[in-house]
Amino acid sequence: MLYFNGRTNGMYKILHLFRLGKFANDNIKFMNENFSNNYHEFWIYGSRINAETKLDLHSFKNVKYVRNIIEKLRTKKVYDFDKIIYHGVFEQEIINFFAKERKLLKRLYLYFWGGDKFYIQNNKWNNLKKKYVIRNAHGIINILPEEKGYMQKYYHPKGKFFCAKYYADYGLMKSIKEQKQVEKDYIAIQVGHSATFTNKHIQIFHLLSKFKDESIKVYVPLSYGNKNYAQRVIKEGKKIFGEKLIALTEYLCEDEYDQFLKHMDIGIFAMNRQQAMGNIQTLLYFGKKIYLRDRSVLVHYFRNEKHCDICTINEISKMEYEDFISFSDISKKNNGRMIEALLRIEPRIKAWNKIFND
């Protein structure tokens, strides 16, 4: 079913700016399958050589790969659109463009993924431009409602606040969950979700080192992010855990990655921002034990807002091994039920429709 976005005297024409990467294909498909694609256009930019996934340009006629996004924006075709949604506010060049083309700010919606909300260290001029654009954009979109406080504290936006989430293949996850769990003679522990320092891999490795002689395997997804950082993580992990450290450095398709997550018993995510949401949600849905950083927005969201049974990382230092790995069937079922409601497509469509109809 298509959900039409529009106004009484016609439909809004909406431009999406999207960096080529792991989120692009599935979420363009989600937008086009659930909203009128006659009124959405996607400008996809970034290196096709270094991209984590390949873009299927032939699936939808409203998707255009742009070699130089700044040159494209300067053609003034951007003024043909009623709304502009910038997904992942990372590129300073794009921020600079909107800081200069101030008339576009009343059409601009900034969708923050997590790390893009922070100021750039030691670059006062760029930070001033970023603050100006965020403060004057028509809309601020976050994944978690808890992020609103941070944005208000550091940027004082004048625009409206929205929350929206990307595509999640609930049907695929449901079918994988229903498959029989493969028996294994060890506990599979996932640490982090990417090769970014916010995962605090090495800190977690040292925390887990007291369990290194137990029947465990430590899995570290490192297929995207900083390659140099990934090598440091692997080196330190091997030093502590030896062959029990398993690094995932190749990109897996969605089905393969969900199968990997089902294989896990425990997930540990030390970030303090809206990051690794897909990993955490899927693991909770599959009934896995999750450790999150104490007092983080993620703990607040999953424990307080979604009523999931969550442990905090600072508990690990005081735990015996059996306490660390144990997780009751009641907690597994509760988390699965809470996340099932969260994963359904209808609330996601409703959230995006609110933005498109604004």
Side-chain angles (χ1 to χ4, degrees):
M1 179 179 181
L2 291 178
Y3 289 73
F4 289 91
N5 49 280
R7 47 191 173 180
T8 55
N9 62 340
M11 306 296 283
Y12 285 120
K13 193 173 182 183
I14 301 171
L15 173 65
H16 299 263
L17 303 178
F18 230 128
R19 170 168 281 282
L20 183 59
K22 70 187 294 288
F23 297 115
N25 269 337
D26 287 342
N27 291 297
I28 291 169
K29 183 180 178 183
F30 164 72
M31 295 287 183
N32 277 328
E33 288 182 348
N34 294 285
F35 304 93
S36 173
N37 63 3
N38 293 325
Y39 299 95
H40 290 260
E41 189 166 307
F42 298 85
W43 291 0
I44 311 301
Y45 60 92
S47 172
R48 301 176 83 169
I49 297 173
N50 299 322
E52 292 126 1
T53 55
K54 302 301 179 185
L55 179 67
D56 185 1
L57 287 170
H58 305 292
S59 296
F60 299 102
K61 62 183 179 181
N62 61 345
V63 178
K64 298 178 180 179
Y65 175 71
V66 179
R67 292 184 183 276
N68 189 316
I69 187 62
I70 300 303
E71 286 185 7
K72 181 72 171 178
L73 289 169
R74 287 174 180 160
T75 64
K76 304 300 182 182
K77 288 185 180 294
V78 69
Y79 279 94
D80 294 341
F81 296 91
D82 301 300
K83 299 175 185 288
I84 305 159
I85 301 178
Y86 177 21
H87 298 255
V89 190
F90 290 101
E91 279 74 27
Q92 187 63 43
E93 280 189 308
I94 295 178
I95 294 169
N96 293 347
F97 171 80
F98 286 113
K100 184 177 180 181
E101 298 291 329
R102 298 182 178 185
K103 291 181 180 179
L104 289 172
L105 292 175
K106 62 184 178 182
R107 312 181 192 190
L108 181 64
Y109 295 73
L110 301 171
Y111 187 20
F112 288 90
W113 290 357
D116 45 350
K117 72 181 182 182
F118 298 111
Y119 283 121
I120 304 163
Q121 287 187 348
N122 304 318
N123 201 320
K124 184 177 180 180
W125 180 234
N126 280 344
N127 287 335
L128 285 172
K129 287 187 279 189
K130 182 173 184 176
K131 184 174 184 178
Y132 178 82
V133 170
I134 294 172
R135 189 175 186 189
N136 291 282
H138 184 83
I140 302 296
I141 310 170
N142 291 119
I143 299 171
L144 301 180
E146 286 77 7
E147 293 288 342
K148 181 179 178 180
Y150 182 95
M151 303 305 294
Q152 288 177 320
K153 180 178 179 180
Y154 291 100
Y155 295 105
H156 311 291
K158 300 175 185 176
K160 299 179 182 179
F161 280 94
F162 301 90
C163 281
K165 295 182 178 66
Y166 281 143
Y167 166 87
D169 194 339
Y170 170 68
L172 173 62
M173 283 186 273
K174 187 173 185 291
S175 67
I176 291 175
K177 183 177 182 177
E178 291 170 351
Q179 296 171 11
K180 185 178 180 180
Q181 183 75 48
V182 176
E183 295 290 333
K184 56 186 188 293
D185 58 358
Y186 58 88
I187 296 296
I189 305 168
Q190 178 182 345
V191 177
H193 80 303
S194 65
T196 54
F197 73 94
T198 51
N199 288 269
K200 301 187 183 299
H201 294 96
I202 295 172
Q203 178 182 325
I204 300 302
F205 290 165
H206 287 286
L207 194 59
L208 296 178
S209 62
K210 64 179 181 176
F211 303 136
K212 66 181 181 180
D213 294 325
E214 303 289 350
S215 296
I216 64 170
K217 289 186 181 180
V218 179
Y219 291 82
V220 192
L222 299 168
S223 59
Y224 74 97
N226 186 298
K227 301 303 180 185
N228 291 330
Y229 174 77
Q231 290 306 310
R232 294 204 308 272
V233 168
I234 294 170
K235 182 178 179 181
E236 187 66 21
K238 291 289 186 183
K239 187 188 300 183
I240 295 172
F241 301 106
E243 295 306 309
K244 292 181 179 180
L245 190 285
I246 301 169
L248 281 68
T249 56
E250 299 297 324
Y251 180 79
L252 301 178
C253 70
E254 185 177 9
D255 179 42
E256 292 172 325
Y257 196 73
D258 282 352
Q259 292 284 0
F260 159 75
L261 292 176
K262 186 179 180 183
H263 184 73
M264 296 299 103
D265 297 294
I266 294 170
I268 304 176
F269 301 91
M271 60 284 296
N272 190 36
R273 66 190 196 213
Q274 54 179 37
Q275 198 178 13
M277 290 289 292
N279 281 253
I280 296 168
Q281 288 176 167
T282 305
L283 287 165
L284 287 169
Y285 178 65
F286 288 161
K288 312 304 180 179
K289 189 172 188 178
I290 295 295
Y291 289 87
L292 300 176
R293 182 174 171 177
D294 189 36
R295 294 191 295 275
S296 67
V297 294
L298 293 173
V299 162
H300 185 274
Y301 178 72
F302 284 107
R303 180 185 281 173
N304 299 347
E305 296 289 332
K306 299 305 173 185
H307 309 294
C308 293
D309 294 331
I310 300 291
C311 297
T312 54
I313 291 170
N314 62 348
E315 298 175 57
I316 297 175
S317 62
K318 304 170 187 176
M319 285 180 163
E320 298 295 329
Y321 178 66
E322 289 302 321
D323 294 328
F324 171 67
I325 66 173
S326 64
F327 199 49
S328 72
D329 288 339
I330 293 174
S331 291
K332 292 177 183 179
K333 290 177 181 177
N334 172 69
N335 289 353
R337 187 171 62 253
M338 295 298 106
I339 298 301
E340 182 176 352
L342 184 63
L343 289 174
R344 293 193 178 279
I345 197 170
E346 291 81 8
R348 294 170 189 254
I349 292 173
K350 184 178 180 181
W352 281 108
N353 220 26
K354 184 177 180 181
I355 296 165
F356 298 153
N357 283 322
D358 173 52

